Amino acid sequence: MSPSLCTKTSSLRYAASAITLLLAGCVSGPDHAPPQMPLPAKFQEGGSKSNGDVVAAQWWTAYRDKQLDGLVAHGLSENLDVLQALERINSASANVTVAGAGGLPSLDVGASHTVYGEKGSQRTTIGTKNTTGGEASLSWLLDFFGQYRRSKESAIASLGAAYATADDAKLTFLKDLVSSYVDARYYQQRIALSQANLKSRQETYELTQLQLKAGAASRLDVVQAEGLVQSTKADIPGLEQSFTVSAHHIALLLGMPAASLMNELQRSTGQPVFRGDIRAGIPADLIRNRPDIRKAERDLAAAVADIGAAEAQLYPSISLSGSISPSWVKSSGASGGTMTSWSFGPTLNLPIFDGGKLRANVDIEKSDAKAQYLAWKEAVLNGVEEVENALSAVRRDTQTLAPLRRQVQTAEESLALSTTSYKDGASSLLDVLDAQRSVSDAQASLAATVQEVAKDYVDLYVAIGAGYLTEQGQNAPERMAKSD
């Protein structure tokens, strides 16, 4: 081999290596780094122990209500909002393919067959010609500055955001379903209490009528007793309507017709009471566990990648294109022949003057990235606030349960004493009616607080991002990210 030929071969190798390095390593724009912000070591009313990964913690089982467990299990796979969010993952996944396809060679192949001829006045065909041809065209934009690689990076980040959105939809469903179930059981409890109070007040009314006949009570006493009976009767339809609305909403959350669960839910199991521990973890846990924070971080990653895609358009682009078109032509009365045309060559696109459009696009993407960082920061702070509020509510509302239970006991004892005293003629009917109102109010307050405490735990565990994934699906987003 001659020295000049060796030199040319070596130069080609170096050129090929340089092009490979350009294609593989020259990427415009900044690389995404996980955002950081200072957080307190613990919540104000929480502990200093991390929760770890709680996304699969089935916290609702601490209510020890089998019917609720069944509703949650059914709803996680049937809720329409969740299913819509899951479907959007498929769209985002397809966008990853679309975004990456621009940086790959494209090959199009086509074929055609044409018959051409002329007819004379005596219905004779003159000069018939058959042409059969094909065409193959290849084009490849050399992504020297990473426009398509950044676009694919942005699409992958958006896919991660779609996964997080689906997780957030599941968490929203859990909060809505369990809260609605707690409300339904509360209204059932209020209905049961009202019916029991109605029975007691009806008995007092009948006793007052007997005493009126015996001359031991006045007409005013009878009217007052009857008024309390009618007032209690008037409360029950409204409570029944509220229960019906809650039951219908639960059916909607499960993707079922509104009345399909009525018979099942009408079998009351009592008000749900949370019998688990308070597990708030630490603020740093929220960044890993809350899907809304993960979505904000993925949106930020996509915005940062878009900066690189916009910057790449500031630089020259080179594309390679070529085509080959073989054809076979046969005329009537003559033998056929083939002809092949081909072309190949690079195309250089150099942006010189665009009125500042491309640079403005970079500025837009940079501004969007800054806005996404602020959105991420807001999501983190919002998560911390929700946990702090839920912790405070759990502790404060729980402290009121014991006094309210004692208040119900004292009100019931006062009613029993005043009723006995009234029967003996030692006190007035007004004392009995006041005692009955006190019992009713105390029972209603206790039921409302039991309801509120049960929902406080819902707020707490939703705020820390717990329970939206099953064990099987827990690592799906992580597997997806690693495969990409």
Side-chain angles (χ1 to χ4, degrees), residues 63-339:
Y63 291 103
R64 301 181 188 178
D65 190 317
K66 297 297 183 182
Q67 189 176 53
L68 175 60
D69 297 344
L71 294 176
V72 171
H74 179 80
L76 282 173
S77 60
E78 298 296 334
N79 178 259
L80 298 179
D81 289 337
V82 172
L83 293 177
Q84 290 177 60
L86 290 174
E87 193 59 38
R88 283 190 283 271
I89 292 176
N90 296 331
S91 175
S93 180
N95 281 334
V96 174
T97 303
V98 172
L104 299 175
S106 64
L107 174 65
D108 295 321
V109 177
S112 63
H113 178 78
T114 304
V115 179
Y116 172 79
E118 296 179 351
K119 285 186 177 293
S121 58
Q122 302 299 321
R123 296 185 179 181
T124 58
T125 301
I126 304 173
T128 302
K129 181 186 293 185
N130 287 269
T131 303
T132 301
E135 182 179 7
S137 60
L138 174 70
S139 63
W140 184 19
L141 190 150
L142 303 180
D143 196 15
F144 286 117
F145 300 100
Q147 176 183 349
Y148 291 106
R149 278 169 286 171
R150 287 302 193 192
S151 295
K152 184 176 181 180
E153 183 181 322
S154 175
I156 291 174
S158 296
L159 176 58
Y163 272 98
T165 300
D167 293 340
D168 196 40
K170 294 177 183 178
L171 202 58
T172 300
F173 158 76
L174 284 173
K175 180 175 182 178
D176 201 355
L177 176 68
V178 180
S179 296
S180 297
Y181 186 83
V182 170
D183 289 342
R185 295 307 184 204
Y186 162 72
Y187 291 123
Q188 283 183 317
Q189 178 70 7
R190 287 292 309 277
I191 292 169
L193 291 173
S194 295
Q195 290 172 341
N197 290 332
L198 177 60
K199 181 180 179 181
S200 173
R201 292 170 182 179
Q202 185 69 36
E203 291 173 352
T204 301
Y205 170 59
E206 293 171 356
L207 174 61
T208 306
Q209 286 182 313
L210 293 175
Q211 290 185 335
L212 175 62
K213 293 178 181 179
S218 67
R219 179 60 184 169
L220 177 60
D221 292 337
V222 174
V223 171
Q224 288 177 328
E226 182 182 7
L228 198 55
V229 169
Q230 299 304 326
S231 174
T232 307
K233 285 182 178 180
D235 290 339
I236 294 176
L239 296 171
E240 291 175 338
Q241 172 62 13
S242 297
F243 165 77
T244 300
V245 170
S246 296
H248 288 173
H249 187 59
I250 291 172
L252 171 64
L253 293 174
L254 300 182
M256 302 170 65
S260 57
L261 284 175
M262 286 300 297
N263 292 334
E264 181 180 351
L265 290 176
Q266 281 174 344
R267 296 191 294 270
S268 177
T269 58
Q271 285 189 270
V273 176
F274 193 86
R275 294 180 175 86
D277 299 327
I278 299 176
R279 294 180 55 192
I282 58 176
D285 292 334
L286 301 181
I287 296 177
R288 174 179 60 252
N289 293 329
R290 279 186 62 123
D292 60 329
I293 295 177
R294 287 194 290 106
K295 177 185 181 301
E297 188 275 334
R298 290 289 82 201
D299 286 340
L300 172 59
V304 172
D306 288 339
I307 296 175
E311 286 188 357
Q313 297 182 33
L314 297 173
Y315 305 111
S317 63
I318 298 176
S319 59
L320 301 178
S321 60
S323 65
I324 181 169
S325 303
S327 61
W328 182 80
V329 181
K330 183 180 184 304
S331 300
S332 60
S335 59
T338 61
M339 181 177 63

